[in-house]
């Protein structure tokens, strides 16, 4: 999905990569980097967000992207409200313990 969105953006912007770009950022090389990074985060015990998409912060980040793409003009207000809610929630938990 990200790859498709990026390609659409490049088409809209009429962007064409220079040959040097293809040499430095070859698809095969990038795939290897992604694989190595994924294996590395797993090896140190990090749980990728995709394994728990309903976790509160992961859900909030997913909602942020959805909101941004649906209505960029309203995003700043939405974000400020969510940040305040998050601060309130964290403050409540701090005092509850």
């Amino acid at each position: 999905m990200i790859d498709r969105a990026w390609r659409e953006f490049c088409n809209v912007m009429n962007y064409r990569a220079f040959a040097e770009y293809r040499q430095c950022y070859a698809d095969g090389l990038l795939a290897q980097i992604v694989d190595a990074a994924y294996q590395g985060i797993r090896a140190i015990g990090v749980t990728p967000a995709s394994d728990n998409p309903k976790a509160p912060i992961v859900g909030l980040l997913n909602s942020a992207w959805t909101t941004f793409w649906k209505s960029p003009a309203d995003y700043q207000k939405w974000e400020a409200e969510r940040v305040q809610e998050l601060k309130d929630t964290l403050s409540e938990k701090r005092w509850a313990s």
Side-chain angles (χ1 to χ4, degrees), residues 76-93:
Q76 188 174 8
K77 179 179 182 285
W78 179 92
E79 180 187 40
E81 291 169 354
R82 298 300 83 72
V83 167
Q84 188 58 53
E85 288 173 6
L86 184 57
K87 286 179 179 178
D88 293 346
T89 299
L90 293 173
S91 179
E92 289 170 9
K93 288 184 178 185

Side-chain angles (χ1 to χ4, degrees), residues 3 6 21-22 24-37:
D3 184 57
W6 177 250
Y21 177 88
R22 295 275 181 225
C24 294
Y25 302 101
D27 288 342
L29 177 60
L30 291 175
Q32 289 176 352
I33 292 168
V34 167
D35 187 50

Side-chain angles (χ1 to χ4, degrees), residues 3 8 49 56 62 68 70 92:
D3 184 57
E8 287 175 10
N62 288 338
F68 176 78
K70 278 185 181 176
E92 289 170 9

Side-chain angles (χ1 to χ4, degrees), residues 48-63:
S50 61
D51 289 353
N52 192 4
K54 294 189 180 191
I57 299 300
V58 174
L60 183 58
L61 291 172
N62 288 338
S63 294

Side-chain angles (χ1 to χ4, degrees), residues 1-11 22 27 30:
M1 189 166 84
I2 293 170
D3 184 57
R4 182 184 52 165
W6 177 250
R7 291 180 194 278
E8 287 175 10
F9 172 76
C10 289
N11 285 336
R22 295 275 181 225
D27 288 342
L30 291 175

